[in-house]
Amino acid sequence: MFTGIVEEVGHISGIQKRSGYQLTTVAAGCVLEDLKVGDSICVSGACHTAVSFDAVGFTVESVNETLQRTTIGRLRNGSRVNLERSLRLSDRLGGHLVAGHVDGIGQVLQRQESPDNVVFRIGVPQALSRYLAEKGSVAIDGISLTVASAGEQDFSVSLIPHTLSVTTMGERQPGDAVNVEVDTIARYVER
């Protein structure tokens, strides 16, 4: 489990692909502190297992399900990614409970800037939109956010300057793909 509070932005320093599989190396700093092989790390919203690491980064493996359901398969060398280590029971829960199980890929439809915030409108498949409610929780690229409005095939979120400066959302423009994880509670309520 994660909180959706990004610890740092890393960048992709190596990718090896073969059919239905990707080995990704991420250059990072603070998430390497006390990292062990087998630990979970959220990479732009997708939970991964660290399979190796050194003083400047770590490596994760992605299988076909992850590559199809997330933006991980679209990453290139130099791509910037949001990073968060898994939650410990003694940690504060600053965001909301984020599983790192991406539900699908959304698309930035609109970026509306003002001096105090940026409002993003994100398009999602209708199968996901039913789990999004105004004032509910959503994770975009692993960032815990509050849904400002929810439509039939889109929703909006409002980001403060701090969040824009310490995550990859500051770079997002219309047309960009983002990982979307709906609130876990919404799925269980429906079930």
Side-chain angles (χ1 to χ4, degrees):
M1 295 300 287
F2 305 92
T3 65
I5 305 299
V6 173
E7 292 184 86
E8 75 174 299
V9 174
H11 72 272
I12 304 304
S13 59
I15 295 177
Q16 297 175 27
K17 291 184 179 198
R18 62 178 186 259
S19 180
Y21 175 86
Q22 181 172 304
L23 190 69
T24 307
T25 302
V26 182
C30 80
V31 298
L32 299 175
E33 184 180 310
D34 76 7
L35 182 67
K36 297 181 297 299
V37 168
D39 283 354
S40 293
I41 295 188
C42 192
V43 179
S44 285
C47 179
H48 280 81
T49 300
V51 296
S52 67
F53 68 94
D54 59 25
V56 296
F58 64 93
T59 300
V60 297
E61 296 172 303
S62 303
V63 294
N64 195 51
E65 171 72 6
T66 303
L67 299 174
Q68 295 302 311
R69 192 176 292 263
T70 73
T71 61
I72 298 298
R74 301 176 186 189
L75 295 173
R76 303 287 175 255
N77 280 329
S79 294
R80 291 168 34 93
V81 290
N82 296 319
L83 302 173
E84 180 187 358
R85 292 172 287 184
S86 61
L87 178 66
R88 291 177 280 201
L89 291 178
S90 61
D91 290 343
R92 286 186 180 183
L93 183 60
H96 72 279
L97 290 177
V98 175
H101 302 162
V102 173
D103 293 296
I105 297 173
Q107 182 180 37
V108 176
L109 300 176
Q110 184 178 36
R111 177 186 173 123
Q112 185 176 19
E113 298 194 37
S114 73
D116 301 322
N117 69 331
V118 174
V119 176
F120 288 92
R121 191 163 57 90
I122 310 291
V124 291
Q126 197 162 12
L128 287 185
S129 68
R130 69 178 183 230
Y131 299 114
L132 297 163
E134 188 174 318
K135 305 303 177 227
S137 298
V138 67
I140 300 175
D141 282 346
I143 306 162
S144 174
L145 297 167
T146 301
V147 176
S149 67
E152 288 297 313
Q153 292 188 321
D154 66 349
F155 67 96
S156 66
V157 291
S158 180
L159 279 75
I160 61 174
H162 173 76
T163 304
L164 293 166
S165 70
V166 299
T167 70
T168 58
M169 283 304 287
E171 306 161 10
R172 294 289 171 249
Q173 296 295 326
D176 287 350
V178 293
N179 291 321
V180 177
E181 180 183 332
V182 299
D183 186 31
T184 302
I185 295 169
R187 288 187 291 218
Y188 284 107
V189 167
E190 180 186 59
R191 180 77 174 142

